[in-house]
Amino acid sequence: YDCDLAGYAGRLNSDGTVDPGFAADRLGNIAIFDVALQTDGKAVGVGSSSESGASRLTVFRLNPDGSLDVGFGGSGIVHVGDPAGPSHHGQSLVLDPDGRVVVAGLRGEQLMVVRFLANGSVDAAFGANGVFLGPTLQSGGSPSRLVRTATGYRVAAHIPSSGTNG
């Protein structure tokens, strides 16, 4: 396409044509990294958005018709991180059967996992007030995949190798 796809969400029919019944709201300056479909047809996405020069982890939920779900965080979009603090990036998400949303990303260069309730508020029962902070990754490292298991969550982080052993 010869257009700006920043913050673009669309739906394709099985033949590859654009579904005109899905009129997604523009998502502004959100760089989207992962999306999952809930059983009710709503789509949840995670990525990052920029505010005052800092990146903020951003989670959004769309209704089946593409409109933002205002039942999620009050506007359909939830941001994590203070624009005056370290950058926050969201890269992977999983959906729990009860509607909770779990995302993995970075806070600065530190691994971060955040769990949200179905309404978009941070789940204070998870980690320390809804947030797990893990190890600091080497420069360029990032979480690459978050999966849900029967007993919790697993996250795989890419840590670039260094030194003489490669």
Side-chain angles (χ1 to χ4, degrees):
Y1 294 107
D2 185 21
C3 61
D4 176 14
L5 295 179
Y8 171 80
R11 183 168 60 200
L12 299 179
N13 295 313
S14 60
D15 65 359
T17 59
V18 175
D19 180 353
F22 186 82
D25 287 333
R26 293 292 296 183
L27 296 172
N29 65 348
I30 300 173
I32 303 167
F33 291 102
D34 199 5
V35 178
L37 192 62
Q38 295 181 169
T39 57
D40 61 1
K42 294 180 180 181
V44 181
V46 66
S48 301
S49 57
S50 180
E51 183 178 325
S52 302
S55 292
R56 297 176 74 192
L57 182 146
T58 303
V59 182
F60 63 90
R61 187 165 66 197
L62 301 176
N63 291 310
D65 67 356
S67 63
L68 284 166
D69 179 3
V70 296
F72 187 78
S75 68
I77 300 175
V78 175
H79 301 282
V80 174
D82 181 350
S87 290
H88 290 68
H89 301 276
Q91 296 186 313
S92 183
L93 72 87
V94 295
L95 302 175
D96 283 349
D98 63 2
R100 292 179 298 188
V101 177
V102 185
V103 301
L106 295 174
R107 178 182 184 267
E109 292 185 1
Q110 190 173 18
L111 173 65
M112 177 177 65
V113 179
V114 183
R115 187 166 71 187
F116 299 89
L117 299 173
N119 67 5
S121 61
V122 174
D123 182 359
F126 179 80
N129 295 317
V131 179
F132 164 79
L133 292 174
T136 299
L137 306 178
Q138 295 176 9
S139 179
S142 64
S144 56
R145 185 79 170 128
L146 176 68
V147 295
R148 185 178 181 283
T149 68
T151 59
Y153 309 97
R154 302 289 184 267
V155 62
H158 169 70
I159 300 174
S161 59
S162 63
T164 58
N165 294 329

